[in-house]
Amino acid sequence: KDWKGGENVVGLGMNEYELSQNPVLTSHVVKDLNDDPVLPFDDNTFDKVTCVVSIDYLNKPLQVCQEIGRVLKPGGECILSMSNRCFPTKA
């Protein structure tokens, strides 16, 4: 509620409903990065990219990280968070 975001806050995930209900997002993309790790954005698009507790479950995390580097603007930031919990059904 007090967060001051940018003009364009894009979400990417696998759950259409959850993404559509996120009031912070200005747009969203439904995509399974395990099926295709290429991010559907142009080079140098974002100032910041976050990946919240999901990188552990990617089949090709290196490719996704390379894609993050591609879509970040020069000097952009990538923030990765990981959990110390394991969900075997997602692994």
Side-chain angles (χ1 to χ4, degrees):
K1 174 171 159 175
D2 295 329
W3 179 72
K4 306 285 189 234
E7 292 179 18
N8 189 28
V9 181
V10 180
L12 184 146
M14 293 173 47
N15 188 308
E16 167 73 34
Y17 178 75
E18 287 179 359
L19 290 166
S20 71
Q21 298 302 302
N22 187 330
V24 173
L25 301 179
T26 56
S27 65
H28 65 271
V29 175
V30 176
K31 181 172 173 116
D32 184 347
L33 293 175
N34 283 326
D35 288 340
D36 177 14
V38 177
L39 297 175
F41 309 109
D42 293 335
D43 296 359
N44 305 318
T45 299
F46 298 103
D47 297 310
K48 297 183 186 335
V49 172
T50 65
C51 183
V52 181
V53 295
S54 57
I55 197 162
D56 298 355
Y57 302 105
L58 293 172
N59 294 334
K60 298 177 181 168
L62 180 58
Q63 280 185 274
V64 172
C65 287
Q66 290 168 333
E67 281 292 294
I68 290 171
R70 180 184 65 77
V71 301
L72 275 173
K73 292 178 181 176
E77 295 180 303
C78 174
I79 302 163
L80 304 175
S81 65
M82 298 179 188
S83 173
N84 64 353
R85 296 175 56 195
C86 178
F87 299 93
T89 57
K90 292 185 179 183

